[in-house]
Amino acid sequence: MRALEATVRLSSMTAAAEELSVTHGAISRHIKSLEEMFGIPLVLRGTRSVVATPEGARLANDLSNAFALIASSVEQLQPGPLTLSCSSTIMMSWLIPRIGMFHELHPEIEVRFNMNYDRIDFVRDEISVAIRNSMIEPPKEVIIKDLVDEWIGPVCSPEYAARHFRTPSDLQKCVLLATKTRLGGWADWAKASAQDAEFRPQKIYDHFYLLIQAAACGLGVGMVPKILVLDDLRSGKLVAPLGFAAGSFKLVLWVAPHLRARPETRALVDWLTEEFRKPGMQGETVQAVPLKLSDRRLSVPANRTRPLRRV
């Protein structure tokens, strides 16, 4: 039954075998055994994919619900590690620099991470809380908690801005950067900021963290959610010449319904909610923080080296 459920859900015996840590032949034999027992075909085997028959699809769906219920009941009695899911860019740009503060408040709580920005199965993937964009369809029965509006805007290096930005209309002459995961980002920003012009990106990156790095290196102007560059704006690594505008989406938390009453889950949800609502996360202007004198003393110009001192 596990073999059938995984095969129908993944539309592949090979993928089901990988998930269940068995061979392709074992999956095939298990499904064939079920078909012989029921006397009806449950899947139609193709060269590259597997399609469930109506009877197979109905059985697989019910099995999926049953397995989820079993796992959920067991986890309520013996919960696994607290697991937070978010995109790799949020993990790198926002969460990692801040998670130390959560550990200081709750040293007894262990947090495990899952890097994913799409739909999830809380039970199967063993996830407690997920940070998501409201554009993504949530799972059924999930607890949804609104965090903040998503503010979006163009960013680039200070040097690129100094060379290319005199007026907002200069944006048309710049190299525009976008990501495959948000190809409509420039159009969304134009609408949100009441821009009449049409902006077409010239360079497309697979992920936001690649786009952000490209913008910081002076390769063009990237369209990004503010949350992903908040620290880069404060450090002066990036600037936002035209500011940010409230987009059409929100940042939300998905909370596993069977884990919402768990003290560790509530502590993580409360901390994330507080962090997301701190100053700077909305439309406020973010000022670069000047380098401290102590930091300057530690820095050595790239074209100078200190002589070695004899001991």
Side-chain angles (χ1 to χ4, degrees), residues 10 30 40 98 112 115 134 173 207 239-240 246 254 272:
L10 300 171
H30 282 309
I40 55 174
R98 291 166 175 78
R112 194 170 60 178
M115 285 187 287
S134 61
K173 305 173 186 177
H207 303 285
V239 294
W254 292 351
L272 287 170

Side-chain angles (χ1 to χ4, degrees), residues 43-78:
V43 298
L44 301 177
R45 297 162 174 80
T47 55
R48 295 187 177 180
S49 63
V50 176
V51 178
T53 64
E55 295 81 6
R58 185 165 57 250
L59 177 58
N61 181 67
D62 291 342
L63 287 172
S64 181
N65 293 333
F67 293 146
L69 179 60
I70 293 171
S72 173
S73 299
V74 171
E75 193 167 0
Q76 289 183 56
L77 297 176
Q78 191 177 20

Side-chain angles (χ1 to χ4, degrees), residues 27 36 43 46 200 238 245 255 260 271 297:
I27 295 291
E36 291 175 350
V43 298
R200 295 184 179 181
L238 290 171
V255 184
R260 60 180 173 177
W271 178 78
R297 289 172 179 169

Side-chain angles (χ1 to χ4, degrees), residues 30-229:
H30 282 309
I31 295 177
K32 186 176 181 181
S33 178
L34 281 178
E35 291 175 326
E36 291 175 350
M37 182 176 68
F38 291 124
I40 55 174
L42 298 174
V43 298
L44 301 177
R45 297 162 174 80
T47 55
R48 295 187 177 180
S49 63
V50 176
V51 178
T53 64
E55 295 81 6
R58 185 165 57 250
L59 177 58
N61 181 67
D62 291 342
L63 287 172
S64 181
N65 293 333
F67 293 146
L69 179 60
I70 293 171
S72 173
S73 299
V74 171
E75 193 167 0
Q76 289 183 56
L77 297 176
Q78 191 177 20
L82 183 68
T83 303
L84 173 62
S85 174
C86 66
S87 72
S88 55
T89 307
I90 288 181
M91 178 77 69
M92 295 168 59
S93 303
W94 190 87
L95 183 61
I96 292 298
R98 291 166 175 78
I99 195 63
M101 293 184 287
F102 178 79
H103 292 317
E104 290 181 4
L105 292 172
H106 305 281
E108 75 287 359
I109 299 179
E110 176 188 357
V111 183
R112 194 170 60 178
F113 301 114
N114 169 281
M115 285 187 287
N116 188 327
Y117 61 86
D118 207 342
R119 298 194 64 185
I120 51 175
D121 184 309
F122 281 102
V123 175
R124 185 186 67 243
D125 301 328
E126 299 181 346
I127 291 173
S128 312
V129 181
I131 302 172
R132 286 296 184 271
N133 190 294
S134 61
M135 70 171 65
I136 301 180
E137 183 182 357
K140 295 180 180 179
E141 300 181 0
V142 66
I143 308 300
I144 301 177
K145 185 178 182 66
D146 288 347
L147 291 174
V148 291
D149 292 331
E150 184 185 57
W151 289 71
I152 54 178
V155 299
C156 60
S157 68
E159 296 78 12
Y160 193 94
R163 290 197 310 268
H164 297 279
F165 276 104
R166 301 296 181 195
T167 65
S169 61
D170 290 338
L171 188 59
Q172 292 282 7
K173 305 173 186 177
C174 296
V175 177
L176 306 185
L177 315 176
T179 64
K180 291 182 179 178
T181 55
R182 194 78 71 89
L183 290 174
W186 281 98
D188 292 341
W189 174 77
K191 180 179 179 181
S193 57
Q195 299 283 334
D196 294 330
E198 181 179 357
F199 301 97
R200 295 184 179 181
Q202 288 94 353
K203 293 185 179 180
I204 310 296
Y205 294 87
D206 288 336
H207 303 285
F208 269 117
Y209 59 80
L210 297 176
L211 179 149
I212 293 169
Q213 183 64 17
C217 291
L219 301 184
V221 182
M223 178 54 56
V224 298
K226 187 181 182 183
I227 179 181
L228 302 182
V229 293

